[in-house]
Amino acid sequence: MEEKTRYSEEELKEFEVLITNKLEDARGELNYIREALHKRNDPGTDVTAGSSKPMEDGADTSEKESMSQLAARLQKFSTQLENALIRIKNGTYGVCIDTGKLIPKERLRAVPHTQQTIEAKLMRQR
């Protein structure tokens, strides 16, 4: 029996729905974090000059940094998901960029933006 080299249109549609849902979730979370960061940067009228404490400033800065890092990761994840949707459209989705073999469905369901089989990824990390 010949080894499959591409996923069918029906299978690609399943992945497209999965990726679109994940992308919507990531964008929603990213917008929430951006709004929260924006509000933190806007002191508004409830903060009076000279009333902030150094310990609170440090904690606030640390939290802003953590939120900024999370926003950057979500932005990267969103871009990867968008690129996966492009690969679905051009027919290259699910094909390992290193081996040319089909990436197992289980892996694509877990990591829908991946471009490598687990074996190829492990070989690249060595």
Side-chain angles (χ1 to χ4, degrees):
M1 186 170 160
E2 194 175 312
E3 189 175 328
K4 210 169 139 178
T5 57
R6 301 259 185 256
Y7 283 111
S8 70
E9 289 297 318
E10 187 177 292
E11 291 167 317
L12 289 174
K13 189 70 181 160
E14 173 193 337
F15 289 121
E16 185 176 8
V17 169
L18 174 73
I19 292 167
T20 301
N21 290 338
K22 285 187 178 284
L23 185 56
E24 287 173 9
D25 291 346
R27 285 178 176 160
E29 198 172 336
L30 183 59
N31 287 336
Y32 175 80
I33 290 170
R34 285 181 175 157
E35 285 178 25
L37 281 170
H38 180 71
K39 287 178 184 174
R40 287 186 164 281
N41 290 332
D42 179 17
T45 58
D46 58 350
V47 176
T48 56
S51 69
S52 66
K53 296 172 184 64
M55 291 294 283
E56 290 174 2
D57 286 349
D60 195 43
T61 301
S62 177
E63 189 172 342
K64 281 183 191 176
E65 188 175 310
S66 293
M67 289 177 71
S68 292
Q69 288 173 351
L70 179 56
R73 283 193 300 272
L74 279 168
Q75 180 61 56
K76 181 179 177 184
F77 181 57
S78 294
T79 300
Q80 291 171 329
L81 291 171
E82 289 166 356
N83 290 339
L85 288 173
I86 291 168
R87 290 192 302 277
I88 286 174
K89 297 278 187 262
N90 68 23
T92 60
Y93 182 80
V95 179
C96 180
I97 58 172
D98 293 327
T99 65
K101 293 182 180 178
L102 214 52
I103 301 169
K105 283 185 181 182
E106 303 79 41
R107 176 154 169 74
L108 290 171
R109 286 185 183 118
V111 188
H113 58 281
T114 191
Q115 297 184 69
Q116 296 173 296
T117 61
I118 196 71
E119 296 81 11
K121 184 170 179 69
L122 293 173
M123 289 299 292
R124 196 179 262 197
Q125 289 177 347
R126 289 183 181 176

